[in-house]
Amino acid sequence: MPKGVHAPEIIYEGIPASPGIAIAPVHVVARGFSAPEVYEIPESEVPSEQQRFKEALEVTKRQLIELQSRLEDLSGDNESGIFEAHVMILEDRSVVDRVLLAISKRQQNAEFAFYAVMQNFLEAMRRIPDPYLRERTADIEDVAQRVLRNFNAAGDVRPQGPDDQHVLVAYDLAPSDTASMNRRHVLGFATEQGSVNSHTAILARAFGIPAVVGLDVAVIDIIALTPSILDGYTGKLILFPTPETLERYRTLMLAKEKVRSSLDAMRGAATETVDGRPLTLSANIELVDELALVRRSGAKGIGLYRTEFLLLNGEEMPNENEQALAYSKVAREMSPHMVIIRTLDAGGDKLPVEPLTDPEPNPFLGWRGIRVSLARPAMFREQIRAVLRASAYGKVALMFPMISGLSEVWRGKDMVRRCMDELEEEKVPFDRDLPVGIMIEVPAAALCADLLAPEVDFFSIGTNDLIQYTVAADRVNPHVAELYRPTHPAVIRLIKRTIDAATANGIWTGVCGEMAGDIRLTPLLLGLGVEELSVGPQQVPRVGQAIRSLSHAECAAMADEALRQSRSQKILDLSMNLARKHYPNLLD
Ligand code: PEP
Ligand code: MG
């Protein structure tokens, strides 16, 4: 190319998975989970072939344990719990025994026998309708790949980048790749595969590595060492950026850095409006290994612990003791702050409760949430007992999902009373005053909030579901995404009605759906009278700062005006006006 002439700038779009900007040449890594060679072994070699498999497992376990302690040293935290889960996969008898059997019965070489068993396992995982759980296949692939490498004692060959600073571009990255990244060299990464819910993305956010997933280009088409900008805010990989683009991003980086350090300085500060109205700002978690992120975020508690994610590693809920252990850990680590443990909300777009049941024609209107718990009293009892046991270790509250009417609340509370009596008899300590609340996420519950409020200690509005049920638009269906509007007049009227009923009965109302983390809508929610917001750990600092910048009186006046509007866009504009007025620098 003649001097002074630029290659044209190319912009690839992806999904923003971890915020931040990286400016550096790309380093491209190709990898895949490819089949090893298959060959028949003589019967006499079956024992030695099985031994080879066991040794590969042992080497892998040692590597994972080492990786885990390296990660602990690096982060001082326990994201490395992920690798404990990896070790558990290697110890899973159903996998190990099947491989040993394949080697002896089919007389296949160990690598292939292992590969075939893992492929079956992965295939089963991919069929799980929950996108979060489907993403856990990345963890299993990661472990499988390590074992395959270790058959040849080839050691640990991770995608290594060059020693210079770069943006790593890969087809996909395993969580262990992300965890062991040299963060002085890898300034950010982009992958063709992946989703925001993958562990890889979770770790990137935990470590503050800008990341984009689901890139709309085949990675092999990207030329190594091309100058690039990775934009983790909007999900872009820009190749051959022009000097103007570079300048724009450098300015943006400086501005973001300024915002970030001011937010960091405020972490843990009280979340109170400028006119003195306090708000509780807590975090949502799915897995215990997100606790480190929560602590770092400055959140004042857990407003929603989605316990259905305990189903991740099996087809059944863990037993009472296993659940009590997990809940107690969360309660202890978050103490003295409150942890709201939601009972199982499987079904809908999440993991099916009983994988062997036929798929439902309308899963969102079917067997999910409290309906399942009430129909499975033994399972429900174990979960309630586990939550009660955890309440001896910190401040714990219990919450029922998908409540549509009074009788579900009565039956749920009845089970709580029975479990309390049992534990008392068994002399097991628990908190007798443990608050019991409900999710308001079915329009019927919002409309009857005045009937429900006298029965419970708090309401938490699940806007993700409340919106979908109110406007009859599936929350995961892109064809009706246009209709799925948090500021639809019907939605905000239901929120208002819920809060009014709660206030009249002396209980508080929180919001734990995604709407709570959208700082464009913080003025609206505060104005409507919400007293608690529970958001993803990453959103905590920004939502906290938004709260501290707003006046409750001004938000309430705006919310009154919003309630008189007939169009969602107008309601959004009203809220946005206050957001722009008070924290323009926080809005992306
Ligand atoms: C909700 O519906 O808003 C909610 C928080 O619950 P989930 O997203 O787990 O259904
Ligand atoms: Mg919900």
Side-chain angles (χ1 to χ4, degrees):
M1 193 164 303
K3 250 191 166 166
V5 177
H6 261 277
E9 184 173 274
I10 308 170
I11 303 178
Y12 294 118
E13 304 278 346
I15 304 160
S18 176
I21 292 160
I23 303 180
V26 291
H27 173 68
V28 186
V29 181
R31 60 179 281 171
F33 185 52
S34 50
E37 202 190 341
V38 56
Y39 52 90
E40 203 173 314
I41 51 160
E43 202 172 345
S44 60
E45 282 180 22
V46 164
S48 61
E49 200 63 11
Q50 288 178 328
Q51 188 53 30
R52 222 160 59 76
F53 165 57
K54 287 181 195 160
E55 277 163 16
L57 283 187
E58 276 316 305
V59 173
T60 311
K61 257 189 246 174
R62 277 204 302 275
Q63 285 171 350
L64 288 172
I65 289 163
E66 195 206 305
L67 194 58
Q68 188 169 307
S69 65
R70 263 194 9 225
L71 182 57
E72 264 159 14
D73 290 347
L74 261 175
S75 68
D77 261 313
N78 63 355
E79 275 81 11
S80 53
I82 292 166
F83 298 111
E84 280 164 25
H86 285 192
V87 173
M88 272 161 67
I89 298 170
L90 296 179
E91 286 169 348
D92 187 333
R93 285 306 322 169
S94 65
V95 170
V96 176
D97 291 348
R98 255 177 237 176
V99 177
L100 294 175
L101 197 73
I103 296 172
S104 63
K105 280 262 155 63
R106 293 192 213 128
Q107 294 183 15
Q108 275 169 347
N109 57 319
E111 292 91 332
F112 189 82
F114 173 72
Y115 166 80
V117 168
M118 292 314 283
Q119 280 299 0
N120 279 346
F121 197 41
L122 284 164
E123 205 36 55
M125 287 285 290
R126 288 189 190 107
R127 275 170 218 224
I128 295 175
D130 184 281
Y132 187 98
L133 295 184
R134 255 197 326 261
E135 276 307 317
R136 297 283 82 79
T137 53
D139 296 41
I140 299 172
E141 277 176 0
D142 187 20
V143 179
Q145 226 148 17
R146 274 177 182 281
V147 175
L148 284 175
R149 287 195 292 250
N150 287 329
F151 272 111
N152 304 319
D156 205 357
V157 229
R158 266 185 242 107
Q160 291 292 342
D163 284 346
D164 298 329
Q165 294 190 323
H166 61 275
V167 168
L168 186 69
V169 177
Y171 176 71
D172 202 1
L173 285 174
S176 62
D177 295 328
T178 313
S180 54
M181 250 171 210
N182 181 333
R183 279 174 282 144
R184 267 182 303 143
H185 297 155
V186 184
L187 302 190
F189 69 80
T191 61
E192 205 179 316
Q193 294 292 301
S195 86
V196 258
N197 290 327
S198 66
H199 262 135
T200 296
I202 289 171
L203 284 169
R205 291 195 290 267
F207 293 132
I209 304 172
V212 174
V213 298
L215 216 52
D216 65 349
V217 60
V219 161
I220 46 167
D221 291 341
I222 296 179
I223 299 159
L225 299 179
T226 305
S228 82
I229 298 174
L230 182 85
D231 177 350
Y233 294 105
T234 60
K236 286 190 184 69
L237 176 68
I238 307 172
L239 302 183
F240 301 112
T242 62
E244 294 75 36
T245 306
L246 271 172
E247 192 45 39
R248 197 157 41 81
Y249 270 96
R250 288 208 174 104
T251 312
L252 186 65
M253 263 172 112
L254 280 176
K256 294 281 184 192
E257 191 42 48
K258 252 171 125 174
V259 173
R260 214 167 59 93
S261 35
S262 68
L263 285 178
D264 270 359
M266 298 300 290
R267 190 168 33 205
T271 40
E272 195 177 284
T273 60
V274 289
D275 50 351
R277 180 172 164 100
L279 247 107
T280 306
L281 178 58
S282 39
N284 295 348
I285 61 164
E286 285 73 38
L287 298 166
V288 175
D289 64 22
E290 284 166 280
L291 272 183
L293 296 175
V294 176
R295 278 200 312 270
R296 231 175 298 157
S297 75
K300 299 285 191 305
I302 306 275
L304 168 64
Y305 178 4
R306 292 182 161 104
T307 59
E308 55 278 8
F309 285 83
L310 288 167
L311 287 163
L312 187 69
N313 295 321
E315 294 177 351
E316 283 176 14
M317 263 316 250
N319 67 27
E320 180 186 320
N321 284 340
E322 289 162 334
Q323 288 185 58
L325 216 67
Y327 304 157
S328 304
K329 182 176 160 72
V330 179
R332 218 176 3 239
E333 292 204 17
M334 291 308 297
S335 178
H337 302 304
M338 168 101 83
V339 176
I340 302 179
I341 304 180
R342 181 174 75 180
T343 56
L344 187 78
D345 184 22
D349 63 328
K350 305 206 187 95
L351 196 76
V353 196
E354 289 171 349
L356 299 179
T357 51
D358 288 338
E360 296 185 335
N362 289 303
F364 278 117
L365 300 181
W367 207 46
R368 68 173 287 208
I370 191 75
R371 303 166 187 190
V372 175
S373 296
L374 294 175
R376 292 279 176 275
M379 184 183 79
F380 193 32
R381 174 176 165 271
E382 285 205 337
Q383 182 164 35
I384 305 270
R385 281 175 58 100
V387 172
L388 288 172
R389 284 167 59 182
S391 71
Y393 298 92
K395 212 159 144 193
V396 171
L398 184 69
M399 177 157 74
F400 300 130
M402 286 294 293
I403 291 290
S404 64
L406 257 183
S407 79
E408 287 160 339
V409 180
W410 284 331
R411 292 172 66 198
K413 281 175 60 183
D414 191 46
M415 179 60 91
V416 176
R417 261 189 304 270
R418 276 176 26 216
C419 291
M420 282 184 168
D421 292 347
E422 281 174 21
L423 291 176
E424 206 153 69
E425 193 129 307
E426 294 163 28
K427 303 218 176 340
V428 177
F430 66 93
D431 174 12
R432 256 272 167 208
D433 298 321
L434 165 130
V436 178
I438 55 173
M439 298 273 303
I440 300 288
E441 50 186 349
V442 177
L447 289 166
C448 295
D450 57 323
L451 305 177
L452 300 169
E455 300 296 324
V456 296
D457 297 309
F458 63 90
F459 284 156
S460 186
I461 305 180
T463 47
N464 304 342
D465 279 316
L466 185 63
I467 299 166
Q468 81 161 345
Y469 293 130
T470 303
V471 298
D474 184 336
R475 66 194 248 189
V476 293
N477 183 341
H479 298 297
V480 290
E482 224 352 74
L483 296 170
Y484 188 94
R485 295 184 180 201
T487 54
H488 191 294
V491 174
I492 66 160
R493 286 175 192 204
L494 289 176
I495 295 177
K496 170 79 169 118
R497 197 183 172 104
T498 304
I499 295 170
D500 285 349
T503 311
N505 284 279
I507 64 168
W508 58 267
T509 305
V511 173
C512 62
E514 291 304 298
M515 193 174 170
D518 183 345
I519 56 169
R520 297 172 312 159
L521 304 176
T522 315
L524 181 63
L525 292 177
L526 292 201
L528 289 169
V530 164
E531 290 176 68
E532 182 240 23
L533 291 173
S534 191
V535 307
Q538 292 303 318
Q539 291 146 343
V540 168
R542 289 210 309 170
V543 175
Q545 192 53 23
I547 295 168
R548 286 187 288 269
S549 314
L550 292 165
S551 139
H552 178 252
E554 192 182 18
C555 292
M558 180 274 293
D560 278 348
E561 198 186 338
L563 283 162
R564 290 195 296 271
Q565 303 305 317
S566 51
R567 292 174 45 240
S568 342
Q569 187 58 47
K570 178 68 187 167
I571 298 169
L572 175 61
D573 289 345
L574 284 171
S575 188
M576 275 292 276
N577 288 346
L578 289 194
R580 271 200 216 100
K581 177 174 163 192
H582 294 291
Y583 43 85
N585 55 331
L586 295 182
L587 297 160
D588 279 331

